[in-house]
Amino acid sequence: MVSCIGKTLLVVFSSLVLLMASSGQNALLAAGSAMEADEMAVAIQNRIEAANPRNPAPSGGERPSFTPGVKKFYARHGFRPAWVDREGPLPTADALLNALQKAPRHGLRPEDYHLAAIEDLLSGFWGFFGRNPLSAEESANLDLLLTDAFFRYASDLASGRMKGDKRKAHWYLRERVAPDLGEALEEALDSGQVQPVLESLAPITPSYIRLRMALFKYQEIDRRGGWPFIPSDAAGLKKGAKSRRVALLRKRLKISGDLNASDHFEITGGTDLFDESLDQAVRTFQQRHGLYADGAVGPETLEALNVPVAQRIRQIEVNLERLRWIPEDTGDQVVVINIPEFRLRVLEGSDELMNSRIVVGKYAQNTPVFESRISHFILNPYWYVPRSIAVDEVVPLILKYPEYFYWENMKVLSSSGKVIPPWEVNWEKVTASNFKYQLRQEPGPKNPLGRIKFIFPNPFDVYLHDTPDRHLFEKTVRSFSHGCIRVEKTTDLAMTLLRGKPSREELVSAMDSGEMKTIRLPKAVEIQVLYFTAWADADGFVQFREDIYRYDAPLQLAMEQAAHRTATEKD
């Protein structure tokens, strides 16, 4: 019989044996886990080194490629995995996959961010009978794909799909300052809030948010089958008409939201009658597309009605891309011009201080897309005729009408700037190669600059100015200039930029004097000359305009080519 002391010693001894065995097992598990982590780190490092362009491509395959941010991130972390551990993918991996699947909400394509390869590896982990362990090589591959997808998607959200020189897209504004994407990745991994971190990288301006909402609306329309085609025999329909095409037109405008779903005909049953509600819906549609809003289905309205919804989606996506390029630090006041809209606005924060119709450059004499700062304006300015206009347009008129200089109140300046009599020049022998004069039109009612010229430095020699041709502002499409921007409400613009000092009466009196005078602004004001063919206004209406300079298609192609380069990189 064992004594109490002996039993106690036996229990203690047994417990020590079990504890030592357990410690040994835990040590073995820890060692195994560390070994697996080391194997994944080695595999990640090998993959990254294989992506080095100085190394030869693998036999029979393409060299893998990762963004510079990927290589920097892993080097900083000893090539340890970020999205997986020995148990498999971490919750952050599923969070990133979910974020990538929502890329269409920004007009971006999930397949451009290794989506298929990531889904394939994750589906391999979750087998029919539960989890299937991934090898160190598979884990490394999945981790690299997720990190690279994060950097690519984050970069596209922060600064746009099209990288490099934006001048290829006729864009001469400074770049939007992108955040540190490495820091964004660290934050996403540490907090587990992958989707919110990515969303924070996209522009947070009202214009971007509203256009994203518009994109979602049109994507929903597309998923439901789009809208019907309106046959050509519907042209000419207007209020009071009765036709079987009216019901089709009614359906088309309901789908796009221009006609309220509970309009009058549903009560009266008159589906084929072009009534008041349909007249208002057509006018709303016309206003949203920059057309003359008369309520009648003319050829231009019919053409706009029949643009497929898929094409409108692409148009929105292209303009979302442009919004990702715009810098957001414009100061307290900014003059914004949208060329396809033919409109100028002065904004201060979210407030619109004034707006005006404008005339822009005709096709082939495009108004450039750029930014600058308005420092001053000139009252009753001279117009120094550009050389190309002088040679191509003015000299033929001089030859035809000897009184031209008198009619137009124009002077001839020598190469030294001295005024010379026009009859001292043999205009019949003047050609583009020997033209050595400067033509200057004096201030007055015929001066094409009108009574005010706004100055802001730029390499295009473009400026804002008044004009005597007031009738052009009544046109719906206003592309008539040689590149400069004619403003309908120049006095209002001047007073807004001057912030009320001097008074309007004093400004008008100075203009009426006919004397040239320079007036400096109390503070230089940012000006952005932009190009947007789709946007959503403050009331939520989606606006579309004609691509007057044909800029959208090349930009869409550039975005697709950038995506193609990503998609063809072997994983």
Side-chain angles (χ1 to χ4, degrees):
M1 190 171 190
V2 182
S3 67
C4 291
I5 295 176
K7 288 182 178 179
T8 302
L9 290 173
L10 181 60
V11 171
V12 171
F13 177 75
S14 300
S15 299
L16 286 171
V17 171
L18 289 173
L19 181 60
M20 291 174 65
S22 176
S23 299
Q25 187 178 12
N26 288 340
L28 288 172
L29 289 173
S33 177
M35 187 178 297
E36 288 180 15
D38 287 343
E39 288 178 358
M40 282 190 279
V42 170
I44 289 172
Q45 185 173 4
N46 288 341
R47 284 273 290 162
I48 289 177
E49 289 177 351
N52 192 325
R54 291 174 294 181
N55 293 337
S59 176
E62 294 184 37
R63 181 184 295 107
S65 174
F66 302 107
T67 63
V70 172
K71 302 171 185 178
K72 184 177 179 180
F73 171 78
Y74 282 108
R76 190 167 59 244
H77 290 80
F79 300 98
R80 292 189 304 275
W83 307 89
V84 302
D85 62 14
R86 69 183 186 86
E87 298 294 333
L90 297 170
T92 48
D94 288 325
L96 178 56
L97 177 65
N98 184 56
L100 296 177
Q101 290 168 339
K102 294 177 180 177
R105 297 183 181 183
H106 289 274
L108 300 170
R109 305 188 311 178
E111 56 267 31
D112 297 337
Y113 310 106
H114 312 303
L115 183 69
I118 292 170
E119 288 179 331
D120 185 56
L121 282 168
L122 287 175
S123 65
F125 174 72
W126 293 105
F128 183 77
F129 295 105
R131 296 187 301 181
N132 295 323
L134 297 177
S135 67
E137 194 68 33
E138 289 172 326
S139 295
N141 192 29
L142 175 60
D143 209 83
L144 280 164
L145 288 175
L146 289 165
T147 303
D148 195 54
F150 182 94
F151 275 110
R152 290 182 187 275
Y153 186 42
S155 175
D156 290 352
L157 286 173
S159 56
R161 191 79 184 89
M162 182 181 173
K163 310 301 181 186
D165 193 350
K166 300 295 189 297
R167 288 178 295 180
K168 297 175 183 177
H170 311 280
W171 193 270
Y172 293 84
L173 278 76
R174 56 198 162 95
E175 298 266 352
R176 179 175 183 252
V177 178
D180 187 314
L181 302 184
E183 289 183 3
L185 176 55
E186 299 280 5
E187 181 185 352
L189 292 171
D190 291 343
S191 66
Q193 301 297 309
V194 178
Q195 176 87 29
V197 169
L198 283 167
E199 290 293 327
S200 71
L201 299 176
I204 58 173
T205 57
S207 54
Y208 187 82
I209 294 169
R210 290 196 299 260
L211 193 56
R212 277 191 62 197
M213 294 173 64
L215 175 62
F216 179 76
K217 171 185 174 180
Y218 278 75
Q219 287 170 335
E220 282 295 305
I221 292 173
D222 190 40
R223 276 190 284 268
R224 294 173 183 173
W227 45 60
F229 179 84
I230 310 297
S232 58
D233 60 2
L237 287 175
K238 59 182 180 179
K239 185 178 177 181
K242 196 168 185 179
S243 164
R244 58 190 179 89
R245 298 302 186 195
V246 171
L248 198 61
L249 175 63
R250 195 180 295 277
K251 180 180 180 181
R252 163 66 180 85
L253 294 173
K254 271 189 176 185
I255 292 173
S256 59
D258 296 287
L259 181 64
N260 192 299
S262 59
D263 64 350
H264 180 66
F265 93 87
E266 290 190 345
I267 300 173
T268 62
T271 60
D272 59 349
L273 176 65
F274 200 123
D275 60 6
E276 176 66 25
S277 65
L278 190 56
D279 176 80
Q280 291 301 317
V282 172
R283 291 174 189 269
T284 298
F285 177 87
Q286 290 169 328
Q287 289 168 351
R288 290 198 306 111
H289 293 76
L291 304 171
Y292 182 63
D294 59 358
V297 183
E300 291 181 341
T301 299
L302 185 63
E303 183 181 357
L305 285 165
N306 285 327
V307 173
V309 65
Q311 184 173 329
R312 291 304 187 196
I313 288 173
R314 290 193 295 272
Q315 190 173 352
I316 292 173
E317 290 173 345
V318 163
N319 286 277
L320 277 171
E321 173 75 1
R322 291 187 177 114
L323 283 171
R324 289 189 283 265
W325 299 347
I326 294 184
E328 296 170 4
D329 55 336
T330 54
D332 59 346
Q333 195 175 88
V334 57
V335 177
V336 178
I337 290 166
N338 186 15
I339 295 170
E341 189 187 5
F342 310 110
R343 185 147 307 260
L344 173 151
R345 292 177 174 85
V346 180
L347 306 177
E348 192 166 66
S350 59
D351 297 327
E352 182 180 294
L353 303 183
M354 64 91 53
N355 75 73
S356 173
R357 291 182 289 189
I358 59 173
V359 172
V360 301
K362 63 187 77 171
Y363 185 71
Q365 291 178 310
N366 304 358
T367 296
V369 180
F370 69 103
E371 64 182 344
S372 185
R373 298 185 74 81
I374 303 175
S375 57
H376 63 283
F377 59 86
I378 300 173
L379 301 181
N380 303 308
Y382 290 126
W383 180 46
Y384 291 91
V385 184
R387 191 178 190 280
S388 59
I389 298 177
V391 172
D392 298 336
E393 300 178 28
V394 176
V395 170
L397 291 173
I398 293 171
L399 293 173
K400 189 174 182 179
Y401 303 105
E403 304 88 351
Y404 181 83
F405 285 96
Y406 173 74
W407 290 345
E408 299 297 327
N409 195 18
M410 192 170 287
K411 306 289 186 185
V412 182
L413 278 65
S414 67
S415 56
S416 62
K418 180 182 177 181
V419 176
I420 60 176
W423 55 83
E424 290 186 3
V425 180
N426 187 346
W427 295 104
E428 291 184 351
K429 293 187 177 181
V430 169
T431 64
S433 60
N434 66 15
F435 186 82
K436 57 183 179 180
Y437 307 100
Q438 173 75 71
L439 303 184
R440 186 185 75 191
Q441 192 166 27
E442 305 298 292
K446 289 189 175 182
N447 188 304
L449 302 185
R451 302 204 294 177
I452 306 182
K453 174 184 177 182
F454 296 85
I455 306 297
F456 40 94
N458 65 87
F460 311 102
D461 197 25
V462 165
Y463 38 85
L464 307 177
H465 64 86
D466 188 18
T467 176
D469 296 325
R470 312 300 295 177
H471 67 284
L472 294 179
F473 293 116
E474 301 302 320
K475 306 285 185 180
T476 53
V477 177
R478 298 188 289 275
S479 51
F480 300 106
S481 81
H482 290 83
C484 286
I485 301 162
R486 307 174 193 174
V487 182
E488 181 181 27
K489 300 177 182 178
T490 48
T491 305
D492 289 350
L493 176 59
M495 290 306 303
T496 302
L497 300 182
L498 287 170
R499 301 175 183 266
K501 295 180 181 179
S503 67
R504 190 182 188 92
E505 291 73 19
E506 290 172 317
L507 182 66
V508 171
S509 176
M511 286 191 291
D512 290 343
S513 71
E515 296 180 4
M516 190 171 70
K517 183 178 182 180
T518 298
I519 298 181
R520 297 207 157 269
L521 302 183
K523 181 180 178 182
V525 176
E526 177 91 5
I527 178 170
Q528 295 179 341
V529 184
L530 305 174
Y531 193 91
F532 286 95
T533 59
W535 69 96
D537 61 28
D539 296 322
F541 288 103
V542 188
Q543 302 281 333
F544 296 102
R545 292 296 185 273
E546 182 185 355
D547 181 15
I548 58 172
Y549 294 161
R550 306 295 182 261
Y551 286 169
D552 281 5
L555 176 53
Q556 182 183 343
L557 179 60
M559 292 171 64
E560 291 172 354
Q561 287 174 341
H564 177 72
R565 284 193 295 272
T566 299
T568 55
E569 291 169 353
K570 294 295 183 182
D571 302 319

